[in-house]
Amino acid sequence: MKRKLGFLVLLALIGAVLLEAAIKQESMDAEGYVALANQMGTKGNHLEATEAFKNALKINPDYIPAYLGLGTAFGNTGHHEEAIVIFKQGIRLDPGHRSVPQMQMNIAVMAHNMKDGKVAVQYAKKALQSYTDQGDYAGVALAGQKLKQFTTTP
């Protein structure tokens, strides 16, 4: 009898935790989904992160950090073509956003990984210019280093 009661209490606790999580998810905004997705990605759960980033974009299709995160998650799962499409959508949506150079650099890296040197160089140059325009000299150095790598790697 005590075992059954203990089991029922355990089930009730699990149910309460799951209900609370579901309620939190339903009331989460785009920023909350991106934060959750970033945590998932940090733990290596890139497929789950992809879904959370998609949820963020359902709530707010103009939220640029969700495009950066979704593209990165796609790239981390080996879906480079999809990643590039997502990054380009984010860039078109707000070409002046502070995340644009990072998205451009990510496109360059993924194109390089896909053996498309022309696109890799094109987007590394775009990232270099965007980082320069933003006064982000660490980004300029990174883009310059990658550009050199892309132009010297067959």
Side-chain angles (χ1 to χ4, degrees), residues 13-147:
L13 286 174
I14 291 172
V17 169
L18 291 175
L19 179 62
E20 183 179 341
I23 290 169
K24 281 183 182 177
Q25 268 194 324
E26 285 181 17
S27 64
M28 204 178 303
D29 61 3
E31 289 178 6
Y33 274 112
V34 167
L36 176 64
N38 285 333
Q39 289 174 356
M40 291 173 176
T42 300
K43 294 177 183 176
N45 300 324
H46 302 296
L47 289 174
E48 293 88 352
T50 300
E51 292 307 312
F53 285 123
K54 287 178 182 179
N55 285 335
L57 289 172
K58 285 178 189 172
I59 294 168
N60 183 356
D62 297 331
Y63 192 53
I64 302 301
Y67 288 93
L68 175 61
L70 181 57
T72 302
F74 274 139
N76 288 335
T77 58
H79 295 95
H80 300 296
E81 293 91 356
E82 293 93 332
I84 289 171
V85 167
I86 294 297
F87 289 137
K88 286 181 178 181
Q89 286 175 352
I91 292 167
R92 274 193 305 273
L93 193 60
D94 187 355
H97 194 275
R98 63 181 174 79
S99 296
V100 165
Q102 188 175 356
M103 288 190 277
Q104 291 168 327
M105 201 66 245
N106 289 351
I107 291 171
V109 169
M110 290 187 199
H112 179 74
N113 291 341
M114 295 167 50
K115 309 291 187 223
D116 189 345
K118 183 179 177 182
V119 171
V121 168
Q122 175 189 9
Y123 274 89
K125 286 179 179 179
K126 287 182 178 192
L128 183 63
Q129 184 62 55
S130 295
Y131 280 127
T132 301
D133 293 346
Q134 291 183 1
D136 181 347
Y137 300 111
V140 169
L142 171 69
Q145 179 185 26
K146 288 294 186 181
L147 183 58

